[in-house]
C-alpha cells in the first residue's frame, strides 16, 4: 500500500520510548500520571471512559482545571489553554498534536478482537516529543520489542502477593470480597442472596454508566456494604480495597462462543484482590454450577507466580484508508498487514455496519466523492452502546446517515431525541437501556460537524445521563441494599405471624419485601422470589391476607352500594379491576341467570364474602335492567290467560332477543284479543317482522347475547354495531340481531317497517283516487309510484329498497323503453300490491330475483325519482 500511516512508517522510535510492564497492582498508572505532570504537556490514552474521568479528576487537582482536558467519545471538556489531555484510546490524538509526553494504558488490548487494532495503532504511532510510555501486561514484552525498536522495557513487580484460597460457599465468603459473574442474571441472583445473608452488596457491570459505577463503588469503599458483585468489568480500571475475589464461574461468552477464561484474563480479575502492600486471595464459588467452576493447578500456579504465555500477535487494521469510494474504503480496511507480529483484525462492528449499508442501494447511492465517503465512514464508526448487534445497529446508523448526509442535525431534532430518553422511571434493565441510548446521542452531540448548537446539546445529553445514572443507582441500591435481612435469613426462623404485612396499591409487602401482588382478590406470588424464601414469605402472607381481603371486600361492597364500583360484565364473566370474581350460569330462564362466585372469593372471611356476593347480585340485577322489556314478555308467557299460541310466541321472542321474522312466527293464529295483549307488552307486529322497539339498541342486544351464550343458545348472531345505524353493509355485520338481510345491505327492523308502512300509505292513497275516478275497479290492481328519498337518506341503495319492497309484497311495473328515435326521460317505475297467498296460515315466500335484476330496477327507480 502506498497511502496512509504504514505499519512500518515509524520503525525508528524516538528516544524516550519506555514500556512499563507487569501484573496488576504494580503502580504503572500512578507512574504514568507522575511523568505526565512532570512535563510541560502530555496525553494518556485509557481503555475506558471511566478511567479517563478518574485520572482527569486527579490531574485537575494537581494542574488546575484550566490546563486539563477530558476527551472521550461521549464527553469533551477542552479548556482553551489545556496542555494535559486524558483520553480514551480511540479519542486520543496521534499525529495532530505535538505533546511532550504520551502514554498508552493497557496496551496488551492490542490482542482484543473488537478494539485491538486501535491499541496497536497507538502503540505504533502515538509518540511524545520527549517521552513515550507504553503500559501493559508482561505478556506484551516480546511484541513491544519486535514492533518498537530501541524501546526500553521496565518490568515492575507486584506490590503484594496473590494466593489461591480454594472454593467456598457464598455464605462463607469473607467481608471485603468481590464476587465475579459473567452475566447480568447471575450478578442479580448473587446480589439477592448476599442481601439475604449479609445485608447487601454493591453491583458493578459494564453496562452501567461511569457515574452509576462510581456511585456503586463508593457504597463498597465507604463500608456501607462489605460485598461487591461484578462482571469482568471489575478487571480493568477499578482500584478497590478488595481482600478476596471469588469467581462464580470460569467461562464466558466472548461474542462468538462460550469459552473458558485464559489465565491472563483470570489474573486480570483476580489481581483486584490485595491493593498496595496488602496481600489478597482468590478462589471460586461452590454451588455455582458448571464443570469449569474450579481452577486447574497450572492455572493457580500461573496466577500466583504471574507467569503467562506471551502474546505472539496483535491485531491491525489500516488506520488511514483511502476515501475514493466505499469499495476502496472497504478494500483498504480488509487489507492484511505486511509485518511480522501483526494480523488483520477480525471484522469489527464499524466495518460490519459499513459493509452492510454498502449493499443497500438507497444508502450506497448517497455516498459519492471523497468527502461524503469520509463522512459516511465516521457515521459507521458510531459505537454500538446498546450492544444490540450489527443488524439493529446498522438500521440506527442508516437513519442517522439520512440526516447527516444533508448537513448537520438541527437543535430541535436533537433536543427531541434527548428528551425522549429523559425518563427516570422503569426497572434496572430499562434504565440501563436508556443510558446506553443517551450515550449514543452524547457521542453524536460531541462530533464537531454533526450537530448545530453542539455545546448545548452535549450538555443536555450529559445532564440526562446524569439523571438516569442517579435513578439507576437508586434502583440498584433499593433492590440489593438496605433490606431487612431478618425477613430472609433462615437461621432466625421467626414466626411468620410476627412479620409486618401491608398492601401498597396492589403490591403485598412483608417487612418491606415485595412477595407478590393482589389483583382483585387473587394473590400472585412474585415470580422472582427464591424458592428458599417462598415458604416463610407465603406463611406470613397467608396469615395476613384474610384481613387484607376483608378490608378490600368491604370497600368493594360499599362502592357497589354507592354505584361507583368499576365492575364489568363481559362474555358471562363479572370482573373487577380486570380480574374475574364471578361467572354467570344458566338459571330457571334465560333472563334469570345464576351468579356463581369465583374461587378467589373463598379466601375472604365468611361474613364479608356473604355481603359482597349479595351486593354483586344486586349489581347484576341493575345491570340487566335494559332487558326489562323482555322480562315483561317472559312474565306474560306464564300468565294463565295467555293461551298456547301467544305463550309459544312470547317464549320465542324472549329466546331471540325480542325480534323474529313474522313468517313462521304463528302470529296469524293469535286471536284479536291476545294481539291487543301483545301490543300492550310493547311488541310491534310489522309486515315482515315482530320486534320490541326498546330492544333495537346495542346495549340491550349485547346483554341478551351474553345471556344467550350462558344459556347455550347458538343463534345469538354477531355483535351489533355500537351506532346501530338504519342501514349498513352486510359484509361487515352479517347475521346481526335487529336487522333484516337485503342481500348486500342490512336494514334495521323498525326502519324497514317504516318504509313498508309508507309504501302501504301510498298504495291506499292511489286506490282511493282510483275508486273515485273509476268505481268498480279493484284498488289492488291499481299501480302507484314511490319516492325512494327516505330509503336513500337511511343509507339504503335503491336496489336494496326495491328488494325490501319486493319482500314486502309489492310488485314493480317496469316501464316500456322509449321507442326508437324517441328521446326524453324514462317513465317512472310503478308499483302494485300483490300479496303472496297464505296457506295453512303461513306466508309463502315470493319468488326471488337475482341481484342484477334488483340493481337494474334500482337504477330505474332512481331515474324515476330524478324526473
Amino acid at each position: 500500500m502506498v497511502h496512509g500511516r504504514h505499519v512500518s512508517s515509524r520503525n525508528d522510535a524516538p528516544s524516550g520510548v519506555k514500556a512499563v510492564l507487569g501484573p496488576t497492582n504494580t503502580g504503572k498508572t500512578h507512574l504514568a500520571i507522575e511523568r505526565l505532570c512532570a512535563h510541560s504537556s502530555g496525553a494518556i490514552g485509557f481503555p475506558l471512559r471511566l478511567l479517563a474521568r478518574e485520572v482527569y479528576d486527579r490531574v485537575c487537582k494537581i494542574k488546575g482545571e484550566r490546563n486539563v482536558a477530558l476527551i472521550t467519545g461521549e464527553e469533551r471538556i477542552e479548556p482553551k489553554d489545556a496542555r494535559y489531555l486524558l483520553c480514551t484510546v480511540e479519542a486520543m490524538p496521534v499525529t495532530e498534536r505535538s505533546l511532550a509526553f504520551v502514554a498508552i494504558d493497557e496496551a496488551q488490548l492490542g490482542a482484543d478482537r473488537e478494539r485491538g487494532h486501535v491499541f496497536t495503532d497507538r502503540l505504533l504511532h502515538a509518540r511524545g516529543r520527549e517521552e513515550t510510555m507504553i503500559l501493559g501486561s508482561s505478556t506484551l514484552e516480546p511484541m513491544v520489542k519486535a514492533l518498537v525498536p530501541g524501546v526500553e522495557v521496565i518490568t515492575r513487580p507486584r506490590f503484594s502477593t496473590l494466593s489461591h484460597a480454594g472454593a467456598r460457599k457464598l455464605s462463607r465468603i469473607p467481608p471485603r470480597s468481590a464476587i465475579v459473574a459473567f452475566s447480568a442474571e447471575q450478578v442479580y441472583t448473587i446480589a439477592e442472596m448476599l442481601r439475604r445473608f449479609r445485608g447487601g452488596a454493591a453491583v458493578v457491570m459494564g453496562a452501567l454508566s461511569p457515574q452509576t459505577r462510581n456511585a456503586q463503588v463508593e457504597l463498597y469503599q465507604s463500608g456501607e456494604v462489605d460485598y461487591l458483585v461484578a462482571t469482568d468489568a471489575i478487571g480493568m480500571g477499578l482500584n478497590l480495597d478488595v481482600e478476596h475475589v471469588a469467581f462464580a464461574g470460569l467461562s464466558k461468552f466472548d461474542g462468538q462462543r462460550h469459552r473458558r477464561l485464559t489465565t491472563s484474563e483470570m489474573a486480570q480479575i483476580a489481581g483486584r484482590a490485595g491493593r498496595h502492600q496488602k496481600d489478597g486471595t482468590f478462589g471460586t464459588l461452590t454451588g455455582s454450577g458448571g464443570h469449569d467452576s474450579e481452577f486447574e493447578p497450572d492455572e493457580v500456579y500461573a496466577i500466583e507466580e504471574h507467569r503467562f504465555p506471551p502474546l505472539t500477535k496483535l491485531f491491525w487494521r489500516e488506520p488511514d484508508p483511502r476515501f475514493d469510494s466505499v469499495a476502496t474504503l472497504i478494500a483498504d480496511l480488509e487489507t492484511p498487514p505486511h509485518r511480522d507480529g501483526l494480523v488483520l483484525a477480525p471484522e469489527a462492528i464499524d466495518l460490519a455496519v459499513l459493509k452492510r449499508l454498502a449493499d443497500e442501494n438507497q444508502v450506497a447511492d448517497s455516498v459519492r466523492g471523497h468527502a461524503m465517503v469520509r463522512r459516511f465512514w465516521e457515521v459507521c464508526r458510531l459505537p454500538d452502546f446498546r450492544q444490540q448487534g450489527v443488524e439493529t445497529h446498522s438500521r440506527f446508523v442508516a437513519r442517522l446517515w439520512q440526516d447527516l448526509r444533508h448537513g448537520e442535525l438541527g437543535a430541535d431534532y436533537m433536543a427531541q431525541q434527548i428528551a425522549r430518553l429523559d425518563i427516570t422511571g422503569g426497572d434496572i434493565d430499562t434504565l440501563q437501556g436508556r443510558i446506553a441510548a443517551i450515550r449514543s446521542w452524547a457521542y453524536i452531540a460531541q462530533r464537531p460537524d454533526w450537530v448545530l448548537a453542539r455545546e448545548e446539546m452535549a450538555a443536555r445529553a450529559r445532564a440526562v445521563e446524569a439523571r438516569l445514572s442517579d435513578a439507576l443507582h437508586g434502583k440498584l441500591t433499593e433492590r440489593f441494599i438496605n433490606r431487612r435481612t431478618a425477613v430472609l435469613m433462615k437461621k432466625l426462623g421467626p414466626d411468620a405471624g410476627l412479620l409486618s404485612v401491608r398492601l401498597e396499591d396492589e403490591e403485598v409487602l412483608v417487612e418491606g419485601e415485595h412477595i407478590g401482588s393482589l389483583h382483585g382478590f387473587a394473590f400472585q406470588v412474585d415470580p422472582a422470589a427464591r424458592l428458599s424464601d417462598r415458604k416463610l414469605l407465603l406463611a406470613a402472607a397467608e396469615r395476613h391476607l384474610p384481613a387484607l381481603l376483608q378490608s378490600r371486600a368491604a370497600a368493594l361492597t360499599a362502592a357497589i352500594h354507592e354505584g361507583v364500583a368499576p365492575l364489568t360484565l363481559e362474555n358471562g364473566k363479572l370482573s373487577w379491576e380486570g380480574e374475574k370474581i364471578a361467572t354467570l350460569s344458566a338459571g330457571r330462564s334465560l333472563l334469570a341467570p345464576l351468579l356463581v362466585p369465583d374461587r378467589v372469593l373463598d379466601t375472604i372471611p365468611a361474613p364479608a364474602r356473604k355481603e359482597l356476593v349479595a351486593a354483586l347480585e344486586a349489581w347484576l340485577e341493575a345491570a340487566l335492567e335494559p332487558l326489562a322489556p323482555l322480562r315483561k314478555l317472559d312474565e306474560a308467557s306464564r300468565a294463565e290467560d295467555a293461551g298456547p299460541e301467544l305463550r309459544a310466541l312470547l317464549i320465542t321472542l324472549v329466546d331471540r332477543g325480542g325480534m323474529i321474522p313474522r313468517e313462521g312466527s304463528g302470529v296469524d293464529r293469535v286471536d284479536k284479543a291476545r294481539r291487543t295483549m301483545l301490543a300492550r307488552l310493547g311488541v310491534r307486529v310489522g309486515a315482515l317482522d315482530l320486534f320490541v322497539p326498546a330492544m333495537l339498541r346495542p346495549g340491550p342486544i349485547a346483554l341478551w347475547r351474553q345471556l344467550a351464550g350462558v344459556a347455550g343458545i347458538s343463534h345469538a348472531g354477531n355483535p351489533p354495531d355500537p351506532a346501530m345505524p338504519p342501514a349498513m353493509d352486510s359484509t361487515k355485520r352479517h347475521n346481526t340481531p335487529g336487522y333484516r338481510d337485503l342481500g348486500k345491505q342490512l336494514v334495521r327492523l323498525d326502519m324497514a317497517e317504516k318504509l313498508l308502512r309508507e309504501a302501504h300509505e301510498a298504495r291506499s292513497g292511489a286506490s282511493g283516487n282510483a275508486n273515485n275516478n273509476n268505481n268498480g275497479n279493484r284498488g289492488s290492481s291499481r299501480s302507484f309510484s314511490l319516492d325512494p328519498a327516505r330509503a336513500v337518506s337511511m343509507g339504503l341503495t335503491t336496489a336494496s329498497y326495491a328488494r325490501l319492497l319486493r319482500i314486502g309484497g309489492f310488485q314493480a311495473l317496469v316501464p316500456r323503453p322509449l321507442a326508437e328515435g324517441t328521446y326524453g326521460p324514462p317513465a317512472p317505475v310503478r308499483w302494485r300490491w300483490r300479496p303472496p297467498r297464505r296457506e295453512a296460515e303461513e306466508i309463502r315466500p315470493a319468488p326471488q330475483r337475482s341481484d342484477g335484476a334488483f340493481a337494474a330496477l334500482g337504477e330505474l327507480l332512481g331515474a324515476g325519482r330524478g324526473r
Side-chain angles (χ1 to χ4, degrees), residues 86-87 159 169 236 270 431 446 479 558 561 605 646 706 821 829:
L86 290 313
C87 323
F159 291 152
K169 294 181 179 180
M236 191 174 298
L431 289 170
Q446 292 295 343
R479 180 169 175 180
H561 291 321
L646 181 59
Q706 286 199 61
V829 177

Side-chain angles (χ1 to χ4, degrees), residues 199-218:
V203 172
V204 172
M205 296 184 293
L208 302 184
S209 68
Q211 181 175 336
T212 306
R213 200 179 324 184
N214 287 341
Q216 287 290 304
V217 167
E218 180 58 28

